[in-house]
């Protein structure tokens, strides 16, 4: 029951009505029997939102687009890897001192570690946006050997340089690099353009591990083709669930059950009203105009 002791957490972003974070975190709080709620705040003025976090004494917030980088300038303390990624998705209010973390890389690395020891493994990373940066720095931390391709070459080259990775200027023949792991960190395949895949199916070889960050739908064309070709697959819900679980650990020191978070997410994504189709359309339109 909500009462005078209820703790408020939430996500700040814009747009934010599509966010699955309230479903994830309220599910976690309920299973733990915590007197806490998690809300979505559509923010226009980030400075005022951070003042609100301090002023109201909230204990923690998630941060999503478009504020993950901008928010860094409002923090008292920044986690080292979040600083390298230049993106923060988690805020903790330590008695008025706001500390920023990035749990996207943790979600990705934990999802991968369930299937593969990353040290020395050859990884083909597709994309150079926010998600690819977080995953790339996670892979580097785990000493993987990274090969990057991105639609916009300049952005891809910049990320490759930061990661000490190899940039592949043309869409590669994967026979040349023999990756053990392929990660799609682009938005290709996201609803409503579910018939798209970021790479031709004939590049997928039996035994490879293929991870997709796209979670709407979670059975993407890439993952369906990978399974047909004998690859092991990791879906986008895995990373989404694990980055949220890492937030719970930061906020309240508890490791929630990943399988139960994924169940909640699958239920939410199969309800036609959640998330709003408008959001996915806006995202796909935006991604297509970034060429
Ligand atoms: P996110 O925060 O989810 O990573 P982002 O920062 O906008 O979102 O990055 C989106 C990524 O998907 C980028 O690597 C983008 O490529 P560009 O850097 O060339 O924009 C990639 N992407 C989006 N739509 C794409 C498409 N149709 N084909 C290839 N890559 C695409």
């Amino acid at each position: 029951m909500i009462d005078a002791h209820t703790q408020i957490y939430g996500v700040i972003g814009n747009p934010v009505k599509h966010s699955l974070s309230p479903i994830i975190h309220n599910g976690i709080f309920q299973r733990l029997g915590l007197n806490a709620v998690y809300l979505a705040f559509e923010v226009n003025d980030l400075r005022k939102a951070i003042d609100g976090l301090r002023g109201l004494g909230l204990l923690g917030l998630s941060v999503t687009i478009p504020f993950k980088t901008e928010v860094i300038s409002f923090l008292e303390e920044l986690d080292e890897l979040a600083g390298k990624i230049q993106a923060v998705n988690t805020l903790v209010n330590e008695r008025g001192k706001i500390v920023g973390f990035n749990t996207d890389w943790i979600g990705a690395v934990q999802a991968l570690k369930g299937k593969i020891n990353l040290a020395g493994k050859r990884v083909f990373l597709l994309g150079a946006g926010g998600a690819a940066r977080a995953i790339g720095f996670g892979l580097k931390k785990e000493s993987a050997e990274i090969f990057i391709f991105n639609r916009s070459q300049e952005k891809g080259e910049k990320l490759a340089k930061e990661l000490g990775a190899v940039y592949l200027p043309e869409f590669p023949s994967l026979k040349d690099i023999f990756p053990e792991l392929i990660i799609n960190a682009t938005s290709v395949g996201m609803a409503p353009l579910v018939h798209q895949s970021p790479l031709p199916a004939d590049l997928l070889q039996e035994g490879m591990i293929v991870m997709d960050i796209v979670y709407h739908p979670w059975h993407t064309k890439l993952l369906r083709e990978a399974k047909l070709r004998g690859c092991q697959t990791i879906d986008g819900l895995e990373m989404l669930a694990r980055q949220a679980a890492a937030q719970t650990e930061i906020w309240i020191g508890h490791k929630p059950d990943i399988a139960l978070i994924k169940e909640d997410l699958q239920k939410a994504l199969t309800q036609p009203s959640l998330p709003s189709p408008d959001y996915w359309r806006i995202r796909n339109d935006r991604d297509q105009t970034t060429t």
Side-chain angles (χ1 to χ4, degrees):
M1 196 176 91
I2 292 175
D3 62 16
H5 297 275
T6 304
Q7 296 288 357
I8 300 172
Y9 293 82
V11 53
I12 53 172
N14 197 340
V16 84
K17 301 289 181 217
H18 67 282
S19 175
L20 294 170
S21 296
I23 288 168
I24 300 176
H25 287 287
N26 286 314
I28 294 170
F29 292 163
Q30 275 162 25
R31 283 190 286 276
L32 285 173
L34 272 189
N35 187 356
V37 291
Y38 183 103
L39 305 170
F41 299 105
E42 197 151 279
V43 164
N44 289 310
D45 185 326
L46 182 60
R47 175 181 293 279
K48 285 182 181 159
I50 302 299
D51 285 347
L53 164 64
R54 281 184 232 275
L56 296 173
L58 309 191
L59 298 181
L61 286 177
S62 309
V63 183
T64 190
I65 51 168
F67 300 127
K68 284 185 174 185
T69 301
E70 189 186 345
V71 77
I72 292 173
S73 59
F74 298 105
L75 307 178
E76 272 79 33
E77 204 173 299
L78 177 63
D79 168 74
E80 192 186 335
L81 205 50
K84 286 187 180 150
I85 298 167
Q86 277 296 296
V88 158
N89 75 332
T90 310
L91 302 179
V92 182
N93 182 358
E94 293 178 359
R95 295 201 187 99
K97 182 177 86 176
I98 311 297
V99 187
F101 297 88
N102 184 306
T103 66
D104 290 327
W105 75 267
I106 300 174
V109 164
Q110 287 183 352
L112 290 164
K113 275 185 161 176
K115 303 249 187 218
I116 188 171
N117 173 3
L118 289 165
K121 295 296 184 318
R122 298 165 73 85
V123 184
F124 177 43
L125 178 61
L126 272 156
R133 286 186 65 81
I135 295 169
F137 278 98
L139 292 169
K140 182 178 156 87
K141 189 169 189 299
E142 296 296 321
S143 309
E145 194 181 343
I146 310 167
F147 299 83
I148 295 183
F149 175 79
N150 189 51
R151 178 178 61 177
S152 312
Q153 180 166 348
E154 203 178 313
K155 215 160 114 191
E157 281 176 341
K158 181 176 174 289
L159 178 59
K161 201 169 166 199
E162 284 179 72
L163 295 175
V166 174
Y167 184 74
L168 303 162
E170 281 167 26
F171 202 88
S173 154
L174 296 190
K175 288 200 183 74
D176 298 341
I177 54 172
F178 289 113
E180 280 121 324
L181 176 59
I182 298 178
I183 302 174
N184 175 38
T186 76
S187 49
V188 179
M190 186 192 283
L193 304 177
V194 296
H195 57 283
Q196 293 187 349
S197 170
L199 84 174
D202 58 6
L203 295 181
L204 301 164
Q205 303 286 319
E206 190 173 346
M208 284 176 174
I209 297 173
V210 180
M211 176 164 122
D212 202 336
I213 65 155
V214 173
Y215 57 80
H216 182 68
W218 72 89
H219 301 297
T220 57
K221 183 175 182 193
L222 170 66
L223 293 187
R224 282 186 274 120
E225 289 178 339
K227 264 191 195 137
L228 282 175
R229 289 177 169 261
C231 306
Q232 293 187 65
T233 60
I234 303 171
D235 65 42
L237 292 184
E238 196 70 31
M239 177 173 159
L240 180 65
R242 288 177 186 276
Q243 65 75 29
Q247 294 185 316
T248 308
E249 252 190 283
I250 290 172
W251 289 330
I252 57 177
H254 173 86
K255 277 189 189 174
D257 187 323
I258 302 295
L260 295 177
I261 299 174
K262 284 188 77 176
E263 268 177 34
D264 287 345
L265 286 168
Q266 285 170 346
K267 264 188 240 153
L269 285 170
T270 43
Q271 279 172 21
S273 58
L274 275 172
S276 150
D278 279 350
Y279 169 73
W280 305 111
R281 206 180 52 240
I282 291 163
R283 255 214 90 136
N284 278 296
D285 288 352
R286 192 200 66 180
D287 288 343
Q288 276 160 20
T289 53
T290 50
T291 31

